[in-house]
Amino acid sequence: MTQVIEVRNLHKAYDGVTAVDDVSFNVDEGEIFGIIGPNGAGKTTTIESVIGLRKPDGGSVSVLGLDPQTEARKLGNRIGTQLQEAALPERMKVWEALDLYASFYEKTVPWEPLVEQWGLAEKRNTQFGGLSGGQKQRLFISLALLNDPQIVFLDELTTGLDPQARRATWDLIRAIREQGKTVVLITHFMDEVEALADRVAVIDHGRVIALDTPDNLIASLNGETQVLFSVPNGFEAERLEKVSGVTAVHQHNQHITISGNGPLLANVAAALAQHNIAPADLRVQQANLEDVFLALTGRTIRN
Amino acid sequence: MKSFLKLTYMELKLQLREPVALFFTLAFPVMVMVLFGFIFGNEAEELLGGYGQVDLSVPGYIGMVVGTIGMLSIPTTLANYRELGILRRLRATPLGSSPVLWSQVAAQVLMTAAGIILLFIAGLAIFDLRIPNGNLAIVPAILLSAFSFFAVGFVLAGVMPSARTAQAVGMAIFYPMLFLSGAAMPRYIMPDFVQQIAGLLPLTHVVILIEDLWLKGTWNLTSVAVVAVVLILGLVISRFTFRWE
């Protein structure tokens, strides 16, 4: 697979305070690459160095074979960015923003289909200040896609959105990848990376502390799965201890929690069927990236 | 070039959608002219070389337009653009910095022109403004003055931490200068020591520069020098102080 981004030993400090200590990673063409870490971990500085907005103090960065420092204009024509803490003038209308930004690139796609696709057609005459948070984000994505970029950088795209708008945005990000573009997704939401990213770099204190697919990262925890359900009164849960893979069974009145490894749900369900028990509220709890982060740093990502 | 023109046109449209800024840059100088015009009239007076009060005040009002845009509009607009991340978004395109900054200058030059044209329209319509010999040299003089004050505006925009402070500091510098410089009221009605202080203010020299060209057709070289030095200082300092975020 072709590599579109190569970052080696990136280092960046502001006034002596290290923002990025030592970051290395590659991004493959056509993947959604997640960069996750708590606020202040160095994610944004990393990405700003990759797109050429910041000059690194050390290390090397290559994007689409270009040096972001010396070939910024060339690179700028081939990437799209949605930046954190970026905005448009309050009184600029949606169509004006698209029309204006289209003039900044050597070649662009027509913006009319973009506003259709991103659900902004009815808002084309609305001023930026009159858009909702989700609409603003969709406008930023539209701006990032104007030049038909090969790589799209999305920094904290869903921060400040309500859960419904976040889910809708996820679909939009998948749609970008389906157009054959590479997506670099920077976020502090674990669920977002789990849902979207093919691979994820976990950054903490300016260093990459893990880099793999979300599944592999979770599997590396050797975490146990838990199956939870409710049963009718009188059922003795101990009978399930002999089921393959089960390591512990807890019963609290009708509520049963079974911990274990392997295809636990299938095994437990089969055992329940054998006993003619129909479990209610059946659900599975698995380790997620939050647990990965906790295991790697001893902290939760929110602190 | 296409980006520059689009940015300039967009900036003009944005300025025209901002009622408060419009009031200060376009309406306020006209209001001052009309107010003093109604108080003092514009009768030709021998003591004033055959001109009326309004005729003589036009260079001052032009200075007021230039100063308002340089000291209030530009610092507030740019600091606001920086504060909100508007400049940051522009930086993330292959555009480069020059078109962004020059489009701001171009749009503000056009706003200055609009403000001055409004003054002339109001002056001609209400006070039968007398136009002395139509000396077109005031145009380059106005441009020099505008660039000079715009450069100071860029310095303020860069140095001030927020749009609010940029506006407050711009007003704190501009308003005393406005009333001492002869831009809002004639200098000759002021006591000597005030006139001496006024002689140190850049806006005073903008007014003198335009006044001399307007009434006598002569370049006041001292005032040209002062305005030019302010321009150069402003350019050099803003080069080091301007920030995109």
Side-chain angles (χ1 to χ4, degrees), chain A:
Chain A
M1 213 177 253
T2 326
Q3 282 177 358
V4 288
I5 301 175
E6 258 187 71
V7 178
R8 287 283 154 274
N9 306 111
L10 181 72
H11 182 86
K12 175 75 186 173
Y14 300 113
D15 302 322
V17 180
T18 302
V20 175
D21 189 11
D22 182 6
V23 165
S24 302
F25 61 87
N26 297 325
V27 177
D28 296 327
E29 189 173 16
E31 73 174 334
I32 297 183
F33 186 83
I35 297 181
I36 191 152
N39 291 328
K43 306 184 298 285
T44 294
T45 303
T46 299
I47 236 52
E48 286 176 343
S49 303
V50 170
I51 63 177
L53 274 183
R54 306 240 176 252
K55 190 173 164 39
D57 298 327
S60 68
V61 178
S62 167
V63 184
L64 297 167
L66 299 168
D67 179 341
Q69 284 304 311
T70 58
E71 296 165 296
R73 187 162 297 212
K74 228 177 192 174
L75 179 61
N77 272 301
R78 294 171 62 185
I79 60 172
T81 44
Q82 174 272 322
L83 292 171
Q84 216 186 337
E85 284 159 20
L88 295 169
E90 289 283 296
R91 294 180 195 272
M92 190 182 281
K93 293 174 183 171
V94 167
W95 77 265
E96 289 171 334
L98 290 154
D99 183 57
L100 177 67
Y101 273 72
S103 76
F104 300 163
Y105 298 95
E106 280 165 14
K107 66 170 181 48
T108 51
V109 293
W111 56 261
E112 290 86 350
L114 270 181
V115 295
E116 292 282 343
Q117 187 190 347
W118 297 93
L120 290 167
E122 285 162 32
K123 296 284 169 188
R124 50 191 291 160
N125 285 315
T126 305
Q127 295 182 351
F128 180 73
L131 297 177
S132 71
Q135 288 162 347
K136 283 179 182 173
Q137 292 296 28
R138 294 209 298 275
L139 176 56
F140 283 134
I141 299 178
S142 305
L143 290 179
L145 295 175
L146 263 178
N147 58 330
D148 195 18
Q150 284 167 271
I151 311 174
V152 185
F153 295 88
L154 304 171
D155 191 0
E156 298 286 3
L157 188 63
T158 63
T159 301
L161 298 187
D162 60 59
Q164 202 184 346
R166 283 188 66 215
R167 295 297 168 129
T169 308
W170 291 2
D171 291 336
L172 301 178
I173 295 170
R174 292 191 188 101
I176 297 173
R177 195 251 304 265
E178 273 154 31
Q179 295 170 17
K181 300 181 192 310
T182 308
V183 179
V184 178
L185 185 72
I186 300 101
T187 180
H188 68 278
F189 290 117
M190 290 293 185
D191 55 345
E192 198 157 297
V193 170
E194 257 182 77
L196 293 173
D198 298 305
R199 290 190 309 139
V200 53
V202 184
I203 295 190
D204 191 34
H205 295 304
R207 289 171 167 272
V208 177
I209 53 173
L211 200 170
D212 210 329
T213 65
D215 286 349
N216 284 349
L217 285 175
I218 292 165
S220 71
L221 283 180
N222 289 321
E224 291 189 332
T225 308
Q226 294 184 317
V227 175
L228 300 91
F229 54 91
S230 307
V231 289
N233 281 328
F235 177 74
E236 286 165 24
E238 292 90 63
R239 285 192 285 183
L240 294 172
E241 280 171 1
K242 291 188 284 289
V243 173
S244 154
V246 170
T247 54
V249 174
H250 296 284
Q251 184 167 18
H252 182 72
N253 299 334
Q254 293 143 280
H255 304 291
I256 294 173
T257 304
I258 296 175
S259 307
N261 305 301
L264 191 66
L265 177 62
N267 292 344
V268 170
L272 288 173
Q274 261 179 18
H275 292 98
N276 282 328
I277 302 286
D281 310 331
L282 181 68
R283 64 203 159 90
V284 181
Q285 235 172 38
Q286 262 175 323
N288 58 22
L289 280 180
E290 298 270 3
D291 302 310
V292 173
F293 190 82
L294 184 68
L296 288 168
T297 65
R299 293 175 286 119
T300 63
I301 195 158
R302 305 253 179 269
N303 300 323

Side-chain angles (χ1 to χ4, degrees), chain B residues 4-23:
Chain B
F4 165 75
L5 292 176
K6 286 235 178 202
L7 272 166
T8 306
Y9 179 51
M10 190 66 241
E11 185 58 41
L12 266 181
K13 283 204 276 188
L14 291 173
Q15 295 278 341
L16 294 176
R17 285 175 197 164
E18 208 66 60
V20 179
L22 266 193
F23 171 78

Side-chain angles (χ1 to χ4, degrees), chain B residues 70-92:
Chain B
M71 305 294 292
L72 299 180
S73 265
I74 289 183
T76 316
T77 304
L78 284 175
N80 180 47
Y81 282 4
R82 185 189 61 226
E83 207 176 345
L84 294 177
I86 292 159
L87 295 180
R88 184 175 149 81
R89 182 64 192 85
L90 285 168
R91 282 279 267 184

Side-chain angles (χ1 to χ4, degrees), chain B:
Chain B
M1 194 61 193
K2 192 176 151 216
S3 311
F4 165 75
L5 292 176
K6 286 235 178 202
L7 272 166
T8 306
Y9 179 51
M10 190 66 241
E11 185 58 41
L12 266 181
K13 283 204 276 188
L14 291 173
Q15 295 278 341
L16 294 176
R17 285 175 197 164
E18 208 66 60
V20 179
L22 266 193
F23 171 78
F24 280 103
T25 50
L26 300 185
F28 188 66
V30 172
M31 278 173 54
V32 175
M33 172 195 252
V34 171
L35 190 69
F36 282 104
F38 281 138
I39 296 173
F40 298 111
N42 196 27
E43 295 303 312
E45 289 177 44
E46 220 154 304
L47 202 66
L48 303 176
Y51 292 112
Q53 290 284 0
V54 176
D55 302 331
L56 296 186
S57 306
V58 164
Y61 299 143
I62 293 174
M64 185 190 290
V65 175
V66 168
T68 306
I69 291 180
M71 305 294 292
L72 299 180
S73 265
I74 289 183
T76 316
T77 304
L78 284 175
N80 180 47
Y81 282 4
R82 185 189 61 226
E83 207 176 345
L84 294 177
I86 292 159
L87 295 180
R88 184 175 149 81
R89 182 64 192 85
L90 285 168
R91 282 279 267 184
T93 69
L95 184 62
S97 51
S98 309
V100 177
L101 300 179
W102 281 110
S103 67
Q104 180 67 220
V105 172
Q108 301 288 8
V109 165
L110 292 172
M111 288 297 288
T112 308
I116 293 170
I117 289 167
L118 276 181
L119 276 174
F120 277 96
I121 292 174
L124 289 167
I126 308 173
F127 302 108
D128 293 324
L129 197 68
R130 299 168 188 84
I131 300 197
N133 300 328
N135 195 330
L136 283 178
I138 64 161
V139 174
I142 291 169
L143 275 176
L144 174 69
S145 308
F147 284 137
S148 179
F149 268 76
F150 291 6
V152 175
F154 272 81
V155 172
L156 275 180
V159 173
M160 293 302 144
S162 69
R164 285 171 73 99
T165 42
Q167 188 180 24
V169 172
M171 285 167 104
I173 303 172
F174 177 62
Y175 281 114
M177 193 154 71
L178 175 67
F179 290 107
L180 295 178
S181 65
M185 53 182 84
R187 271 188 317 285
Y188 64 78
I189 63 167
M190 299 173 194
D192 274 351
F193 79 99
V194 177
Q195 291 195 35
Q196 273 165 14
I197 297 171
L200 304 171
L201 301 172
L203 189 58
T204 308
H205 290 281
V206 167
V207 176
I208 293 174
L209 177 63
I210 299 169
E211 224 165 45
D212 283 6
L213 283 166
W214 182 240
L215 298 173
K216 302 180 232 160
T218 57
W219 288 87
N220 185 315
L221 294 181
T222 313
S223 294
V224 172
V226 171
V227 174
V229 166
V230 171
L231 170 61
I232 291 163
L233 281 179
L235 285 177
V236 171
I237 298 173
S238 65
R239 179 103 184 77
F240 293 103
T241 52
F242 194 77
R243 291 168 295 138
W244 290 83
E245 46 190 280

